[in-house]
Amino acid sequence: MNTLPTSPEAIATLLGSFQPVALEDDLLTPDDVEQLRLTPVESLRVVMLNGFFMPELSTLPQDGSVTVATTLNTDSPDEGVSIRIKAGSVLAQALEVLHVSFSFESEFIAQPRLRVVLEAGAHATLVEQYTHLSDTLCLNNAVVEVFLEAGARLSHPRLQQESLRTRHLSSLHVNQAAGSHYHGTTLAFGGAWSRTEFHVAFSGTGAHCDLNGFYLVGDQQTHDMHLDVIHNLPGCSSNARFKGILYGNGKAVFNGNIVVKPDAQKTDARLSNDNLLLSRAAEIDTRPRLEIYADDVQCSHGTTVGQLDPEMLFYLRARGIPQTQATLMVCDGFASEIIDTCNAAALQQQAQTLLAKRLASVTALAGVNDA
Amino acid sequence: MEAAERQLDAMNHAGYAAGFITDIESDTVPPGVDESVIRFISAKKREPEFMCEWRLQAFRQWLTMTEPTWAHLHYPKIDYQAISYYSAPKSASDGPKSLDEVDPELLRTYEKLGIPLQEQKVLAGVAVDMVFDSVSVATTFRKQLAEAGVIFCSISEAMREYPAMVQQYLGTVVPPDDNYFAALNAAVFTDGTFVYIPPGVRCPMELSTYFRINERNTGQFERTLIIADKGSYVSYLEGCTAPQRDENQLHAAVVELIALEDAEIKYSTVQNWYPGDANGKGGIYNFVTKRGLCAGDRSHISWTQVETGSAITWKYPSCILKGDDAVGEFYSVAVTRGAQQADTGTKMYHIGKNTRSTIVSKGISADRGQNTYRGLVRMNQSAENGRNHTQCDSLLIGDKCGAHTFPYIEVANPTAKVEHEATTSKIGEDQLFYCRQRGLSPEDAVSMIVNGFCKEVFKELPMEFAVEARKLLAISLEGAVG
Amino acid sequence: MLSVKDLHVVVNGKEILTGLNLEIKPGEIHALMGPNGSGKSTLSKVLAGREEYVVTEGSVTYKGQDLLALAPEVRAQQGIFMAFQYPVEIPGVNNTYFLQMALNAIRKARGEAELNSLAFMRLVRDKLKALEMDESLLKRYVNAGFSGGEMKRNEILQMTLLEPSLAILDETDSGLDIDALKIVARGVNTLRSPERAMLVITHYQRLLDYIEPDVVHVLSGGKIVMSGDKSLALELEAKGYGWVQDGLEQAA
């Protein structure tokens, strides 16, 4: 089993063992994009190949409500993309950012960097996908920054379906101004190991953040979900709901932290993490943490770890549904609570299909709950 | 919350009811610890040779270890060479043979604490083993217990009288190198309690020890070992209190419980060490390692604690559920007020099949108090059908305090089921108003609501202790919240 | 007994009561009716002393003293009882214990001896019997997991125990079935006496079939716009609150 590096030193060593790959601009074709896209063909689309922006494969905006730039004002040596949505614009169609890993080389590193700014009052949906076309060993080290100015609203479904050989690291930073609303759903399926970080902070009051996450962890996989929601200002609310299904010798870590700083009165913060273990060798470590320094707050967290409810399975089987299918149905129901929060039909569809395919392929599944 | 704040102000003026100093000559070694001090302690206690060696090994181990920093606690660095590691009331050097021989000054101390030995003997039928600083000064009810085959004595005595048993069990649940404070304790522990319940015996009375730190600058390092043999039952009560001092005092105790097949141990603590003043001056540093081993099938260990004292609390009474169908429980009320900080919780290691554990933790923070629940629930691969339910609730009074919840849940068995719930809130304005509309003063209303909040834990305490715990909470709240 | 003069009350920056006048004499039962949002519950909360309700103008005199200057528990000790529309749950606090604490706090304020548990239980049992209520309520935590009907019955039980001089019933009838309604009415009627006054706040006329009011007031837009005898309630029931509104507009 692959173990996930945790110390900065270990991560640095790891990064060092992967080499950057040169941009090959004829590797990815419009046909590939057509295959991979999760939004309508005419949607605005930013395509990134191995961390490089591919303008000729992207569909860029014309009307000025959205600007896409490739220079980021940061120290990052890598090419990145900055998307800015004009104040007050309400985008009817979703924006898509498609990250593709594809190379004939092995042990390469991709470092995509994305910054999304919604100016005051802008409303948008951003569909993000991490996918692969080749099954090479690579490291994907993504950084996504989201800035929501006052009153902005962003719906942000993300699907991570990297190859099972990929090492995936991604961190999402959300900064919310007064009255803004962030609604994100991250569905993590791929990667030999993957670590997804969420960092949420507020720069104004009355903001709300919804973070949803689902992870499916199978044989030879390790998933880490790290969550840091810092309530540093009064009157903001956050609701984080994460669920995971583990099978084979899959291992997952959920490390969620909610901090309510001394002046953050009237904070409403919720955190939940529910896990289904389908096999003997699977393991979950979960740490939902609350650190509270203000008194006028409503905070709660809840965690469950368990197996499929035998009564539920029995009920389905008593109605003539075979064990395997019943198991799939129950798992699907469990995951749907999160997948359904995506508000992106094609992405949801894709996730459901992946889930069904992956679970059906687990041959041992049928025997799991006979005990 | 205006009403509660008013009472907080009142609290700053409220004194620590147990803050008197007993004036007795003490036999104290100079501050500091090295191998010669350890040899001195061991010789002073006329221990068997293996004990001295055991202590020295622990001490060498301790020298290689570092003080843990992961807890959510902030306190100045402890100078371990400034602490005196042995202090015994002089008159006790020969050991009192009966209660009449005990220094009357000492007995008065206990009376002030509300544990009149004579009266308690008659009324409650509780046998008391008192630890005064380091030496156990009086043990009552020995005879009745002996008739039942129960051994209840100081651990120094046990080392002399039952060396085989001590050697067999001591350090098996909390090894000397378990952690920094446990290692220090193993090296320098001066006394403590030893209990053995023979197979099939239901201990005829509740056993109780009152701990009290008296000497200035003395650390108290007691060690408790309780063994419940097959099918036996014992309920053990531990009360702690210490006089008011400006200096911080270190308390690093170790408690080991062993429950064999079908045995049950109920261990209850009411901890009221001096918490320091409102500005954090003085108070006990309480670094305690408590762990129980459910060694046999169907064994049962239950920890109940009411922690209202100490400047710093670092304490995780834990259960290793090794036997099949073993049960572990942890019920806790922790109050932090003034500048108190508590990082407390439990660990439940599920190893055997069908093992069950329950955790109920109630944290109350007032003033600038910081209250942390830290708990581990581990389901090993072998823990078939293991079950855990955890409920952590925090109550905040005032806007300068903090409540933190750090659960660690590790599950490696798919048939295991773990549930964790936590809530944090302040006392509801609606609840307070409702009570006041019915004529209750804000103080009574807050006290009533807080007691209700702690109900689930108090009901786990033996009767006499529950009354004392409620009283203690009321005293804390009299000043702190109502 | 109670005299409310030109009462203006602001909640969260919004003026809810806009110059309300009300006189209640000992022995009288007043019914206060009005559509949702007219300020009925605001009045009850101001009388009981809820701190978020800010009185910007006007006065409330109770038994000759300035009621607004008194803390909520002092008002209770002086005989004001409010039956809450939504009684709050207090987990872990035994209902009997709560009732005994409340009764003894009030008895102490009246200069009466506190009741011990035995005497208290005897008294509670008598009251329960008179109300034809079940004892099971006593064993539970205050309002925790109570059904709507149980909560209201518990309020009435408290009222009969505490024997207030001025009882305020804040929509105690809402959501009650006919049996529970009768219990509420029985509670009120047994307390009826020449020294005692009551203010019954209700949305519907139904409760007034069982409790006969001396005066009926209609509250609208934060003040009392109409007062009359029992027949006013029936007329309201028949014609609806729109009728009052129309009448006001025509008058204006």
Side-chain angles (χ1 to χ4, degrees):
Chain A
M1 161 104 48
N2 299 287
T3 48
L4 205 53
T6 45
S7 70
E9 296 79 17
I11 290 173
T13 312
L14 180 93
L15 290 175
S17 67
F18 286 84
Q19 297 305 313
V21 71
L23 172 61
E24 296 178 68
D25 43 14
D26 51 354
L27 208 54
L28 197 65
T29 65
D31 276 356
D32 295 327
V33 173
E34 179 58 26
Q35 289 289 315
L36 297 170
R37 67 178 169 84
L38 290 175
T39 53
V41 66
E42 68 279 9
S43 287
L44 295 183
R45 188 170 298 103
V46 169
V47 178
M48 314 272 284
L49 172 63
N50 301 332
F52 296 105
F53 176 45
M54 309 296 282
E56 62 282 11
L57 293 174
S58 303
T59 312
L60 296 177
Q62 311 294 334
D63 69 346
S65 61
V66 181
T67 46
V68 176
T70 53
T71 18
L72 279 182
N73 189 17
T74 67
D75 291 335
S76 164
D78 307 289
E79 260 198 274
V81 174
S82 167
I83 300 173
R84 178 173 279 272
I85 297 156
K86 249 205 165 133
S89 316
V90 176
L91 302 189
Q93 243 168 6
L95 265 160
E96 180 170 8
V97 176
L98 179 60
H99 301 270
V100 186
S101 310
F102 185 21
S103 174
F104 297 110
E105 289 177 43
S106 196
E107 289 173 45
F108 71 88
I109 185 168
Q111 310 223 52
R113 191 173 179 104
L114 176 67
R115 173 186 290 188
V116 180
V117 181
L118 267 69
E119 292 181 1
H123 289 201
T125 298
L126 174 70
V127 174
E128 223 190 321
Q129 185 188 185
Y130 295 85
T131 187
H132 64 286
L133 284 171
S134 61
D135 206 18
T136 44
L137 174 59
C138 79
L139 174 72
N140 202 337
N141 180 32
V143 176
V144 179
E145 293 169 286
V146 172
F147 292 88
L148 301 187
E149 293 182 0
R153 292 177 81 90
L154 179 68
S155 175
H156 188 190
R158 310 164 79 206
L159 176 66
Q160 187 270 94
Q161 47 165 336
E162 304 252 34
S163 109
L164 290 176
R165 298 184 69 200
T166 298
R167 274 64 178 159
H168 177 90
L169 290 174
S170 85
S171 62
L172 170 68
H173 301 258
V174 180
N175 192 294
Q176 294 189 245
S180 63
H181 195 286
Y182 176 83
H183 178 89
T185 306
T186 297
L187 309 174
F189 287 90
W193 51 250
S194 86
R195 175 186 169 106
T196 313
E197 291 179 21
F198 302 84
H199 303 273
V200 179
F202 299 93
S203 61
T205 61
H208 178 74
C209 179
D210 265 328
L211 283 180
N212 300 292
F214 173 75
Y215 40 95
L216 179 68
V217 191
D219 244 353
Q220 306 299 326
Q221 276 190 296
T222 303
H223 269 310
D224 264 21
M225 288 280 178
H226 291 255
L227 188 74
D228 249 312
V229 179
I230 314 288
H231 281 274
N232 46 339
L233 290 170
C236 294
S237 55
S238 65
N239 189 0
R241 288 193 303 165
F242 282 74
K243 285 189 166 193
I245 298 179
L246 294 89
Y247 64 89
N249 63 1
K251 191 172 187 317
V253 171
F254 176 82
N255 191 347
N257 194 18
I258 292 181
V259 181
V260 180
K261 295 268 172 105
D263 294 321
Q265 299 294 2
K266 306 277 178 207
T267 290
D268 187 328
R270 317 267 159 194
L271 173 64
S272 74
N273 175 232
D274 299 300
N275 299 280
L276 269 185
L277 292 186
L278 300 184
S279 72
R280 216 135 267 291
E283 181 165 349
I284 171 79
D285 294 349
T286 168
R287 295 174 191 181
R289 298 176 290 156
L290 290 175
E291 247 183 89
I292 295 160
Y293 299 91
D295 68 330
D296 191 4
V297 298
Q298 291 286 330
C299 294
S300 69
H301 67 194
T303 310
T304 60
V305 179
Q307 58 179 332
L308 295 168
D309 182 354
E311 270 180 49
M312 221 187 266
L313 284 180
F314 179 77
Y315 184 84
L316 292 171
R317 292 169 72 188
R319 294 286 174 272
I321 299 163
Q323 165 98 350
T324 317
Q325 202 183 333
T327 305
L328 282 176
M329 279 174 76
V330 177
C331 287
D332 190 62
F334 178 81
S336 288
E337 257 201 280
I338 300 296
I339 294 176
D340 290 351
T341 63
C342 280
N343 305 328
L347 187 144
Q348 255 165 266
Q349 182 77 52
Q350 175 84 345
Q352 304 280 17
T353 310
L354 269 171
L355 181 69
K357 214 167 94 186
R358 285 271 294 275
L359 288 180
S361 74
V362 185
T363 46
L365 196 64
V368 165
N369 288 288
D370 287 349
Chain B
M1 183 191 314
E2 226 184 275
E5 269 163 18
R6 270 200 300 279
Q7 291 143 45
L8 283 175
D9 291 341
M11 187 274 297
N12 292 330
H13 306 295
Y16 174 65
F20 46 82
I21 295 166
T22 309
D23 191 13
I24 305 176
E25 277 184 87
S26 287
D27 181 3
T28 305
V29 292
V33 60
D34 57 20
E35 295 201 1
S36 71
V37 168
I38 289 161
R39 285 202 179 86
F40 170 85
I41 293 170
S42 190
K44 194 88 186 161
K45 308 202 77 70
R46 287 175 288 138
E47 289 176 353
E49 185 50 37
F50 77 86
M51 271 314 301
C52 188
E53 207 32 59
W54 193 79
R55 285 171 179 278
L56 287 170
Q57 285 214 2
F59 177 67
R60 287 165 199 150
Q61 190 60 244
W62 178 71
L63 288 175
T64 67
M65 299 167 90
T66 48
E67 205 176 314
T69 53
W70 43 260
H72 197 91
L73 299 169
H74 304 279
Y75 55 93
K77 214 162 160 44
I78 298 168
D79 181 358
Y80 292 91
Q81 295 303 339
I83 295 166
S84 173
Y85 290 85
Y86 186 80
S87 159
K90 262 189 188 154
S91 61
S93 58
D94 296 319
K97 308 272 179 310
S98 76
L99 226 67
D100 305 331
E101 286 179 35
V102 174
D103 192 325
E105 181 74 9
L106 258 182
L107 290 180
R108 270 197 293 279
T109 303
Y110 293 119
E111 270 164 39
K112 277 193 237 169
L113 287 171
I115 33 164
L117 274 189
Q118 302 291 357
E119 201 189 328
Q120 213 162 353
K121 242 187 197 172
V122 184
L123 289 180
V126 175
V128 180
D129 175 38
M130 294 187 293
V131 175
F132 191 87
D133 282 326
S134 311
V135 174
S136 180
V137 287
T139 306
T140 52
F141 285 90
R142 289 279 292 277
K143 216 168 138 246
Q144 280 150 277
L145 290 170
E147 275 162 19
V150 172
I151 303 170
F152 178 42
C153 61
S154 77
I155 200 153
S156 328
E157 199 177 337
M159 276 184 288
R160 294 191 295 268
E161 312 260 321
Y162 317 100
M165 204 157 7
V166 172
Q167 196 166 11
Q168 185 187 347
Y169 289 108
L170 191 73
T172 55
V173 186
V174 180
D177 59 351
D178 185 79
N179 66 67
Y180 188 78
F181 301 107
L184 180 64
N185 173 287
V188 303
F189 77 90
T190 39
D191 217 329
T193 305
F194 177 81
V195 177
Y196 172 78
I197 316 290
V201 170
R202 194 176 165 88
C203 186
M205 60 194 71
E206 266 152 5
L207 305 179
S208 164
T209 303
Y210 269 80
F211 290 112
R212 179 162 161 76
I213 296 176
N214 194 54
E215 195 65 20
R216 195 181 278 260
N217 278 338
T218 52
Q220 184 151 355
F221 304 91
E222 82 276 359
R223 194 159 184 118
T224 299
L225 178 58
I226 299 177
I227 302 145
D229 213 323
K230 289 179 186 172
S232 68
Y233 168 86
V234 62
S235 167
Y236 186 86
L237 319 177
E238 172 198 47
C240 318
T241 181
Q244 196 158 343
R245 301 269 195 203
D246 283 349
E247 302 89 349
N248 295 105
Q249 282 174 286
L250 177 65
H251 176 249
V254 170
V255 176
E256 297 179 276
L257 310 183
I258 295 149
L260 303 181
E261 239 170 76
D262 296 300
E264 179 175 353
I265 302 175
K266 210 170 154 49
Y267 194 104
S268 313
T269 307
V270 172
Q271 186 264 108
N272 182 30
W273 300 119
Y274 177 54
D277 70 8
N279 300 315
K281 193 164 162 53
I284 301 293
Y285 288 172
N286 196 25
F287 294 91
V288 178
T289 306
K290 290 185 169 175
R291 196 174 301 152
L293 172 64
C294 282
D297 293 351
R298 295 168 304 279
S299 53
H300 183 168
I301 288 180
S302 174
W303 298 100
T304 305
Q305 61 174 30
V306 176
E307 305 272 325
T308 60
S310 292
I312 302 281
T313 300
W314 179 99
K315 183 182 172 189
Y316 316 91
S318 305
C319 296
I320 302 169
L321 305 172
K322 194 173 160 205
D324 292 347
D325 301 289
V327 177
E329 291 168 316
F330 174 75
Y331 300 95
S332 169
V333 166
V335 181
T336 53
R337 45 184 263 216
Q340 279 179 284
Q341 304 171 54
D343 192 303
T344 185
T346 183
K347 294 181 187 177
M348 294 289 174
Y349 295 94
H350 290 251
I351 299 167
K353 294 187 182 68
N354 304 315
T355 45
R356 283 170 290 143
S357 63
T358 302
I359 300 172
V360 177
S361 165
K362 304 278 179 177
I364 300 162
S365 318
D367 283 341
R368 285 172 296 131
Q370 296 292 328
N371 212 322
T372 301
Y373 167 81
R374 186 184 304 276
L376 169 74
V377 175
R378 164 86 205 167
M379 294 283 177
N380 274 12
Q381 230 165 2
S382 54
E384 205 68 15
N385 287 315
R387 293 283 180 271
N388 164 267
H389 184 83
T390 302
Q391 175 73 46
C392 293
D393 297 314
S394 307
L395 198 62
L396 296 153
I397 300 164
D399 60 0
K400 289 177 190 68
C401 56
H404 319 296
T405 318
F406 300 134
Y408 301 68
I409 297 151
E410 301 175 4
V411 182
N413 184 305
T415 61
K417 200 168 172 184
V418 178
E419 291 167 332
H420 173 101
E421 285 174 74
T423 62
T424 302
S425 55
K426 66 172 185 171
I427 290 183
E429 289 290 345
D430 287 341
Q431 292 176 335
L432 211 53
F433 181 71
Y434 188 79
C435 294
R436 291 177 73 187
Q437 210 301 305
R438 294 300 180 258
L440 299 180
S441 68
E443 292 77 9
D444 287 346
V446 170
S447 163
M448 182 184 261
I449 293 165
V450 171
N451 264 299
F453 175 77
C454 300
K455 188 79 149 213
E456 274 170 280
V457 174
F458 285 169
K459 75 176 176 14
E460 294 300 323
L461 288 170
M463 189 61 132
E464 321 82 73
F465 243 35
V467 173
E468 185 173 332
R470 262 198 297 276
K471 257 195 324 205
L472 192 58
L473 193 65
I475 291 169
S476 312
L477 297 172
E478 201 172 87
V481 281
Chain C
M1 174 174 292
L2 183 78
S3 166
V4 180
K5 288 207 172 79
D6 191 31
L7 189 67
H8 290 251
V9 173
V10 172
V11 186
N12 292 327
K14 198 172 162 219
E15 190 169 75
I16 305 291
L17 295 185
T18 56
L20 185 138
N21 291 293
L22 182 64
E23 289 288 333
I24 300 180
K25 294 193 186 68
E28 289 180 348
I29 293 189
H30 288 235
L32 184 65
M33 302 181 74
N36 290 329
S38 58
K40 301 190 300 283
S41 286
T42 300
L43 177 65
S44 71
K45 280 164 187 150
V46 169
L47 294 178
R50 193 79 218 221
E51 275 143 5
E52 301 91 297
Y53 293 74
V54 184
V55 175
T56 50
E57 240 183 290
S59 67
V60 181
T61 315
Y62 169 70
K63 290 184 178 170
Q65 52 188 333
D66 177 10
L67 184 72
L68 300 176
L70 304 178
E73 63 273 19
V74 178
R75 298 182 196 199
Q77 288 158 9
Q78 304 229 352
I80 290 187
F81 177 91
M82 166 156 132
F84 286 72
Q85 188 180 0
Y86 304 109
V88 65
E89 290 188 15
I90 311 178
V93 175
N94 181 281
N95 205 22
T96 310
Y97 177 63
F98 172 74
L99 292 175
Q100 191 182 350
M101 287 280 283
L103 180 62
N104 279 336
I106 286 173
R107 288 181 67 97
K108 211 170 143 189
R110 287 184 197 149
E112 297 168 6
E114 294 185 26
L115 289 186
N116 65 24
S117 298
L118 206 69
F120 173 77
M121 278 315 291
R122 207 173 290 137
L123 179 66
V124 174
R125 292 225 167 87
D126 288 349
K127 299 287 183 193
L128 281 170
K129 222 168 152 189
L131 290 171
E132 290 177 30
M133 272 167 62
D134 195 60
E135 254 185 55
S136 63
L137 276 186
L138 295 176
K139 297 190 183 82
R140 291 157 68 182
Y141 295 149
V142 180
N143 297 326
F146 281 27
S147 69
E150 284 172 333
M151 282 192 184
K152 298 297 170 68
R153 282 176 221 208
N154 194 32
E155 294 291 293
I156 293 305
L157 171 64
Q158 293 181 35
M159 182 176 81
T160 54
L161 263 178
L162 301 179
E163 300 180 325
S165 326
L166 173 64
I168 303 158
L169 281 75
D170 189 3
E171 303 212 20
T172 303
D173 54 331
S174 65
L176 289 191
D177 60 31
I178 203 74
D179 291 338
L181 202 65
K182 281 179 181 165
I183 287 183
V184 170
R186 194 175 299 132
V188 171
N189 290 329
T190 49
L191 278 184
R192 208 163 186 165
S193 84
E195 309 83 60
R196 199 167 275 141
M198 307 213 192
L199 178 60
V200 179
I201 296 172
T202 181
H203 189 77
Y204 303 104
Q205 191 270 336
R206 195 175 59 152
L207 180 65
L208 305 180
D209 287 343
Y210 301 94
I211 303 171
E212 198 171 313
D214 299 303
V215 190
V216 175
H217 306 279
V218 179
L219 189 63
S220 179
K223 56 180 85 170
I224 288 173
V225 292
M226 209 179 270
S227 298
D229 62 7
K230 191 174 179 259
S231 61
L232 178 59
L234 294 169
E235 199 168 355
L236 264 177
E237 180 80 357
K239 298 182 179 167
Y241 286 113
W243 164 67
V244 179
Q245 217 52 47
D246 294 343
L248 282 177
E249 276 157 24
Q250 277 167 20

